């Protein structure tokens, strides 16, 4: 009799039979391997040998059936998700689940995901592929991210962990179908539809004072439990919330070479990687209460507030007649930020008065005109274009791609000048190669 090789179909048969033990017993009987137990005292040597041979054949067949049933179980269940990750395949009520989770998910217009199988199907994955993407190892020989760095303003390097193609596709599905449907505060201008560095800066024009603050270690602070909490509050129960959080997080890692092998060693808990498409949007959802509290504080003291990722900006309008109460503002902001599970970066708090240059997300906001790029950047762009047009080499560190990015940045606030510089760079591109 031919054996069923499709583990998914096999597991369906096992469930219909009443479980693995019932399935194995039924198959042994159907295939003629099940031996009726008898007393051996009155058996002849020949009968005893035949009886033992039958028991041996039954045991061998039972082992094969157990192995097949286990493989079918693993093909349909996650079983284990790695070191330090709590998982059980049996869906049980959890005390942290919302009382009416499914109703909350429906209110948020989220896809119904009640089991790992449903999630895998929604992501066009098998259970084995889903397990492969979420499995956690403290010391791994292979991970689903590749690392590169980009320069920061202070001269140091910012590590970026970009997901592999398959994981990025999965994260984009989670972003489009779940995260982007969750509530975000209007003060959040980063990575939200219809908002940008320009809309963020525009909120702070014509200001007596502009105060900029930075959250230290923003993405690493948002660890796996906090991300899981986002999905639970969205309306998913413990199992699905855990899987979604694992798909969107990774441990910060150090790359170590030993005995000719590369190891990726976890340096801390899983958190939002800078480079995953889901990370910025998840921080916006997580910061809903932070933004609510800071907006309320700003309104009470007569200030304006916005946040772009980890950059928070407060500004006091020129028409504000009362005292700035700057010390009160900074003190309460610090307490609120810490109460919400973050920390301010003390070296990145800046106060700018109207008599000095006031910049918000890179744009100058002095006066009541629209935000604009600095004169210095405009001069540098014009000079670079002039060098290209006259066949001269670019300065060290300048590249055509970087100049094009700056010109596009200028185009956002000044479309006419930006378009002129973009056209000039495009025309000069063949000479720059």
């Amino acid at each position: 009799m031919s054996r069923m090789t499709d583990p998914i179909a096999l597991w369906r048969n096992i469930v219909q039979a009443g479980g693995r033990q019932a399935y194995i017993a039924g198959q042994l009987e159907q295939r003629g391997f099940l031996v009726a137990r008898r007393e051996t005292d009155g058996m002849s040597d020949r009968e005893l040998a035949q009886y033992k041979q039958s028991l041996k054949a039954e045991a061998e067949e039972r082992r094969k059936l157990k192995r097949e049933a286990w493989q079918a179980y693993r093909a349909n269940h996650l079983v284990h998700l790695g070191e330090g990750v709590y998982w059980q395949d049996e869906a049980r009520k959890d005390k942290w689940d919302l009382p009416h989770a499914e109703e909350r998910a429906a209110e948020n217009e989220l896809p119904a995901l009640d089991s790992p199988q449903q999630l895998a199907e929604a992501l066009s994955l098998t259970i084995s592929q889903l397990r492969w993407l979420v499995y956690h190892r403290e010391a791994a020989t292979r991970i689903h991210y590749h690392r590169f760095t980009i320069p920061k303003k202070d001269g140091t390097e910012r590590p970026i962990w970009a997901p592999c193609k398959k994981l990025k596709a999965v994260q984009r599905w989670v972003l489009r179908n779940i995260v982007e449907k969750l509530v975000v505060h209007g003060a959040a201008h980063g990575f939200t539809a219809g908002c940008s560095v320009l809309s963020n800066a525009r909120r702070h024009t014509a200001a007596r004072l502009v105060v900029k603050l930075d959250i230290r270690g923003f993405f690493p602070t948002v660890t796996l439990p906090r991300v899981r909490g986002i999905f639970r509050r969205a309306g998913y129960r413990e199992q699905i919330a855990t899987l979604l959080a694992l798909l969107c997080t990774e441990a910060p890692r150090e790359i170590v070479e030993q005995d000719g092998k590369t190891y990726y060693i976890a340096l801390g808990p899983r958190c939002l990687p800078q480079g995953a498409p889901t990370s910025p949007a998840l921080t916006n959802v997580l910061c809903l209460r932070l933004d609510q509290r800071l907006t309320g504080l700003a309104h009470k003291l007569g200030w304006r507030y916005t946040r772009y990722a980890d950059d928070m900006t407060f500004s006091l309008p020129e028409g504000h007649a009362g005292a700035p109460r700057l010390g009160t503002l900074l003190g309460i902001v610090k307490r609120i930020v810490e109460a919400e599970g973050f920390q301010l970066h003390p070296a990145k708090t800046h106060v700018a008065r109207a008599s000095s240059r006031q910049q918000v997300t890179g744009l100058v906001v002095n006066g009541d005109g629209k935000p604009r790029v600095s004169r210095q950047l405009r001069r540098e762009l014009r000079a670079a274009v002039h060098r290209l047009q006259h066949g001269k080499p670019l300065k060290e560190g300048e590249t055509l791609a970087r100049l094009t990015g700056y010109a596009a940045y200028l185009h956002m606030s000044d479309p006419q000048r930006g378009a002129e510089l973009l056209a000039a760079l495009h025309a000069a591109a063949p000479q720059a190669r």
Side-chain angles (χ1 to χ4, degrees):
M1 183 180 295
S2 62
R3 295 184 185 276
M4 185 172 294
T5 56
D6 181 1
I8 296 176
L10 176 56
W11 181 249
R12 198 177 301 123
N13 284 358
I14 291 172
V15 172
Q16 291 174 353
R20 282 185 282 176
Q21 296 303 320
Y23 171 79
I24 291 169
Q27 287 296 305
L28 287 172
E29 183 175 5
Q30 182 180 332
R31 299 177 186 187
F33 285 95
L34 191 61
V35 179
R37 270 46 177 179
R38 294 180 290 152
E39 292 292 338
T40 59
D41 291 345
M43 290 183 182
S44 65
D45 290 345
R46 183 179 178 183
E47 288 175 326
L48 183 59
Q50 289 177 340
Y51 181 63
K52 288 181 177 179
Q53 187 64 31
S54 298
L55 290 175
K56 184 177 180 181
E58 179 193 306
E60 179 63 26
E61 187 68 13
R62 187 183 294 275
R63 281 193 293 271
K64 291 179 181 178
L65 287 165
K66 279 185 176 180
R67 187 163 55 248
E68 291 173 3
W70 171 244
Q71 290 170 350
Y73 182 88
R74 287 195 83 246
N76 291 270
H77 299 80
L78 293 167
V79 185
H80 180 55
L81 297 182
E83 305 162 58
V85 180
Y86 171 74
W87 179 261
Q88 58 179 14
D89 281 309
E90 184 182 350
R92 295 177 182 174
K93 287 187 176 181
D94 187 273
K95 67 178 181 178
W96 301 112
D97 287 335
L98 294 177
H100 304 286
E102 291 76 13
E103 293 178 13
R104 173 69 68 85
E107 288 172 3
N108 288 325
E109 300 182 347
L110 304 183
L113 301 171
D114 299 322
S115 68
Q117 287 82 359
Q118 279 187 311
L119 176 60
E121 289 172 7
L123 298 173
S124 301
L125 301 173
T126 64
I127 286 291
S128 297
Q129 289 172 327
L130 178 60
R131 184 193 305 115
W132 175 66
L133 287 176
V134 301
Y135 200 92
H136 175 76
R137 289 183 175 87
E138 290 293 307
T141 56
R142 182 182 178 189
I143 59 174
H144 303 296
Y145 292 82
H146 63 273
R147 182 183 185 274
F148 61 93
T149 61
I150 57 174
K152 295 167 68 173
K153 289 182 180 179
D154 59 7
T156 60
E157 296 289 323
R158 185 190 304 278
I160 304 295
W161 291 88
C164 68
K165 185 177 180 180
K166 182 176 283 292
L167 179 57
K168 181 181 282 188
V170 166
Q171 290 175 342
R172 282 176 172 162
W173 186 95
V174 174
L175 177 65
R176 290 192 305 269
N177 293 279
I178 298 177
V179 182
E180 287 182 346
K181 295 182 179 181
L182 303 180
V183 178
V184 171
H185 196 274
H189 285 257
F191 315 101
T192 59
C195 294
S196 64
V197 294
L198 178 61
S199 68
N200 183 60
R202 190 182 289 128
R203 186 81 177 88
H204 300 285
T205 57
R208 284 173 58 187
L209 288 173
V210 172
V211 179
K212 296 190 293 183
L213 306 100
D214 185 88
I215 296 175
R216 171 182 277 168
F218 191 44
F219 284 1
T221 305
V222 185
T223 54
L224 175 68
R226 301 183 78 175
V227 179
R228 181 167 50 208
I230 292 173
F231 291 116
R232 282 193 159 187
R233 288 191 296 274
Y236 289 119
R237 298 197 181 274
E238 190 267 341
Q239 273 191 323
I240 298 301
T242 296
L243 293 174
L244 290 171
L246 287 168
L247 287 169
C248 296
T249 58
E250 177 55 277
R253 294 183 182 270
E254 182 179 1
I255 304 174
V256 176
E257 299 286 341
Q258 184 174 350
D259 299 330
K261 292 188 70 174
T262 301
Y263 294 90
Y264 300 88
I265 309 299
L267 301 177
R270 292 179 74 99
C271 58
L272 293 180
Q274 191 151 347
T278 43
S279 293
L282 282 167
T283 60
N284 281 338
V285 177
L286 180 67
C287 289
L288 174 62
R289 192 170 64 177
L290 172 70
D291 291 335
Q292 287 173 333
R293 296 179 69 180
L294 292 179
T295 298
L297 171 67
H299 180 74
K300 183 177 180 180
L301 298 179
W303 291 69
R304 299 169 294 194
Y305 163 75
T306 62
R307 181 180 57 80
Y308 193 96
D310 57 348
D311 295 324
M312 299 179 297
T313 305
F314 293 85
S315 64
L316 188 69
E318 283 181 345
H320 185 77
R325 301 177 68 183
L326 180 59
T328 301
L329 175 75
L330 293 176
I332 299 177
V333 167
K334 183 175 185 294
R335 291 200 294 273
I336 291 174
V337 168
E338 291 176 353
E340 293 300 324
F342 298 103
Q343 279 192 330
L344 292 177
H345 199 307
K348 293 188 176 181
T349 297
H350 300 287
V351 179
R353 301 182 183 277
S355 56
S356 62
R357 180 192 290 177
Q358 297 171 327
Q359 278 187 286
V360 177
T361 44
L363 296 172
V364 178
V365 295
N366 293 77
D368 55 5
K370 66 179 182 179
R372 55 215 176 267
V373 300
S374 66
R375 289 194 185 94
Q376 180 183 352
L377 179 58
R378 292 199 301 270
R379 284 197 296 266
E380 289 176 357
L381 274 171
R382 286 196 298 268
V385 169
H386 184 268
R387 285 192 292 273
L388 286 173
Q389 289 173 334
H390 290 79
K392 296 180 180 179
L394 294 172
K395 287 183 178 180
E396 184 179 352
E398 284 185 340
T399 65
L400 190 60
R402 175 172 286 191
L403 293 172
T404 302
Y406 283 142
Y409 183 61
L410 171 62
H411 183 271
M412 180 177 55
S413 58
D414 190 339
Q416 182 176 346
R417 288 188 183 178
E420 291 171 359
L421 284 170
L422 283 169
L425 285 169
H426 180 72
Q431 303 173 45
R433 293 190 180 96

